[in-house]
Amino acid sequence: MDREWFRGQVVFLTGGTGNLGSCLLYKLAIQLPTAKIFVLVRGSVQRAIEAWEQSIPEQVEEIIATCKIQFFLGDMTQPNLGLSPENISRLQNETTVVMNAAGDIALSRDLAETIPVNCTSHLTLASLLDSFTQLQRFLHISTTYVSSFLPNGVVKEQIYPLYKDPAEELGKILITGKSSYTKQFAAPYALAKHLAENLLLGGNHKFPILILRPCLISPAIEEPYPLYGSDGAIPVHSFLQILLGDSEHWYLKLEQRLPSHAPCNEIPVDLVARTCLAHVAQGTTGVVHASADLYVSRTIGGFLERMRRYAPEGAAEQVKKAGLHHGDVTAPEFYSMIQQFARDWKIECTRSAHLKHVAGPLGLDLGNHDPEIFFKLRIERLAKSILPKLESATVANNKVYPNIS
Ligand SMILES: NC(=O)c1ccc[n+]([C@@H]2O[C@H](COP(=O)([O-])OP(=O)(O)OC[C@H]3O[C@@H](n4cnc5c(N)ncnc54)[C@H](OP(=O)(O)O)[C@@H]3O)[C@@H](O)[C@H]2O)c1
């Protein structure tokens, strides 16, 4: 796969402070011969650097030292993405590639809350891009959950239409905040992203569009470093924290309550980034999946069995005593969502199968990587981040309810 394609390219990256975006940024800045990377950041440059100091502490200096990074203050939900007129004109004249990895992955948002960031902001970006004079590629990050209304079976790399007129459907949502289709999706987030895909591809834009749909993202195997990834953007880690937080639904009950035969569709974040970059270099258009087929396919049961095998001694007992609370999604709500939507989907990844034979920063040939050893290390790291929270939750519970343990 041709990393040379990136020589001299000027990339505009959104979501560059996020989990996937920071991995893309690392690869674009360090591994590929790009000329410049314009990064859209919210709030301030300081805020972006602080986010990277947390997530990629050992890489941030190296990235900045490339002198490729330039910051553009903005907000995806504002008109013209909140960019200043000078910055818009700079982007219009210089950008050759746009990678759109901004989004709000919270499943708890209602439709009215999620539409601005996960749908209309992407349409604002696309109409701005029609005025970019050098643009060659546009990559938009979506999710395999846009197809979560489908029954069990094969999910192809295509849009499955649902409503007669997506623009009319969005118009209704913008007025009422509601849609009759919401319940068919795993979360309002997925409906917002389904609408965005439809409206982007049907928008008659002047530039080619690549939509990349990752499944659930898991920690990196290699880049920017092994096990990179914030728990908040790794759904399985967030889900586990939600479930561990409820004494009625904790760890040992997981296997009885979850459909163990259903696929646990996860892919490491760096393999998603490699798939994105390879298809950008290739000039692919339309929909591409990045799902477990490109790494290792496991079932929910297989995942839980390994989790129990590799969890440190005493972890289950500690979970039992604690009562963590996580965000605003409760364990019963989560169980009902997963029972309804952990379907037997076979998410096709045929458009990227050739990448399994390609090594290097744009390939999915994993060389000596051992998924089993890696999984063990992942569970050990996860336990390290969860167990101290459980310990303090147990102490707090014992203060409030001295007899609870
Ligand atoms: N995580 C997964 O398992 C998963 C699975 C499938 C698809 N995806 C998709 O992958 C993409 C990246 O997600 P992620 O996992 O990297 O999530 P993340 O870590 O939460 O990152 C989200 C990024 O979007 C930015 N952002 C949010 N709202 C914004 C706004 N109004 N204006 C400008 N930037 C904004 C955030 O900036 P701040 O730093 O300013 O907050 C951050 O850089 C999303 O499109 C998501 O839907 C994720």
Side-chain angles (χ1 to χ4, degrees):
M1 207 48 53
D2 194 7
R3 67 189 279 288
E4 277 307 302
W5 184 86
F6 282 93
R7 186 161 303 283
Q9 299 292 349
V10 177
V11 181
F12 177 38
L13 174 66
T14 75
T17 50
N19 198 48
L20 175 58
S22 300
C23 182
L24 283 168
L25 178 78
Y26 170 83
K27 291 174 73 63
L28 288 165
I30 305 292
Q31 297 183 327
L32 297 172
T34 50
K36 288 180 214 161
I37 306 158
F38 297 152
V39 188
L40 182 81
V41 294
R42 280 200 289 182
S44 66
V45 172
Q46 183 60 22
R47 187 173 168 270
I49 291 180
E50 280 168 14
W52 292 325
E53 279 167 351
Q54 282 289 317
S55 62
I56 44 172
E58 316 247 309
Q59 292 73 22
V60 57
E61 261 182 47
E62 193 189 356
I63 291 174
I64 303 287
T66 62
C67 296
K68 292 179 178 179
I69 312 298
Q70 295 182 21
F71 295 94
F72 287 71
L73 288 184
D75 184 319
M76 292 289 293
T77 57
Q78 298 303 309
N80 283 331
L81 311 181
L83 292 159
S84 69
E86 302 74 51
N87 281 344
I88 291 183
S89 130
R90 180 114 199 260
L91 289 166
Q92 279 167 331
N93 295 327
E94 294 184 42
T95 308
T96 58
V97 178
V98 173
M99 299 194 176
N100 183 26
D104 179 354
I105 56 173
L107 302 181
S108 55
R109 306 254 188 272
D110 66 27
L111 192 58
E113 286 172 315
T114 193
I115 281 281
V117 62
N118 288 319
C119 181
T120 48
S121 69
H122 306 313
L123 308 181
T124 309
L125 170 64
S127 46
L128 196 60
L129 296 189
D130 278 326
S131 65
F132 281 34
T133 56
Q134 311 293 323
L135 188 60
Q136 296 176 39
R137 306 278 203 271
F138 172 55
L139 162 73
H140 171 72
I141 305 294
S142 187
T143 164
T144 53
Y145 278 86
V146 294
S147 305
S148 55
F149 58 90
L150 295 178
N152 288 346
V154 174
V155 182
K156 292 186 189 285
E157 293 166 299
Q158 63 167 70
I159 291 197
Y160 290 89
L162 190 61
Y163 11 72
K164 230 176 27 208
D165 180 346
E168 195 184 300
E169 188 55 31
L170 176 61
K172 269 194 233 159
I173 295 170
L174 291 176
I175 293 167
T176 64
K178 295 195 167 43
S179 164
S180 52
Y181 297 99
T182 310
K183 286 212 157 58
Q184 294 187 48
F185 288 83
Y189 156 83
L191 168 56
K193 296 203 71 122
H194 184 266
L195 264 170
E197 284 193 2
N198 275 276
L199 290 161
L200 284 174
L201 285 184
N204 213 5
H205 290 291
K206 292 184 187 152
F207 47 87
I209 300 179
L210 164 62
I211 293 186
L212 201 122
R213 292 180 186 156
C215 59
L216 302 177
I217 288 177
S218 61
I221 60 169
E222 195 64 53
E223 302 141 337
Y225 56 87
L227 294 174
Y228 157 83
S230 77
D231 287 340
I234 297 178
V236 168
H237 293 189
S238 306
F239 296 164
L240 283 169
Q241 299 206 19
I242 294 168
L243 298 175
L244 297 178
D246 189 301
S247 53
E248 284 300 303
H249 298 86
W250 59 282
Y251 186 56
L252 295 180
K253 283 191 187 165
L254 283 175
E255 260 164 311
Q256 299 154 22
R257 301 292 301 271
L258 294 176
S260 65
H261 59 279
C264 177
N265 238 318
E266 278 194 303
I267 184 166
V269 61
D270 47 347
L271 302 193
V272 176
R274 292 185 203 181
T275 310
C276 290
L277 295 164
H279 282 284
V280 166
Q282 254 177 246
T284 307
T285 56
V287 175
V288 170
H289 284 158
S291 186
D293 262 16
L294 300 180
Y295 179 56
V296 175
S297 301
R298 292 195 179 96
T299 59
I300 291 180
F303 185 101
L304 294 173
E305 187 271 314
R306 279 181 181 78
M307 196 174 86
R308 212 180 23 229
R309 198 185 319 155
Y310 298 134
E313 229 175 279
E317 204 40 41
Q318 210 167 340
V319 167
K320 194 174 163 189
K321 287 184 188 166
L324 272 183
H325 294 281
H326 189 278
D328 43 2
V329 179
T330 64
E333 279 168 4
F334 171 74
Y335 269 106
S336 87
M337 182 187 91
I338 211 163
Q339 277 167 333
Q340 199 187 343
F341 287 101
R343 297 207 186 123
D344 206 357
W345 289 307
K346 304 210 178 344
I347 298 174
E348 261 190 15
C349 290
T350 45
R351 300 190 79 190
S352 306
H354 62 291
L355 297 177
K356 288 188 174 183
H357 309 293
V358 177
L362 304 183
L364 300 176
D365 175 346
L366 305 184
N368 295 331
H369 170 77
D370 182 332
E372 201 57 37
I373 293 177
F374 181 73
F375 193 86
K376 179 171 184 285
L377 295 172
R378 172 185 176 183
I379 294 303
E380 286 168 359
R381 192 210 76 169
L382 182 63
K384 263 197 203 143
S385 83
I386 291 183
L387 289 181
K389 288 185 207 161
L390 291 177
E391 227 159 83
S392 47
T394 309
V395 171
N397 276 343
N398 285 346
K399 277 191 191 144
V400 183
Y401 311 108
N403 298 326
I404 205 166
S405 59

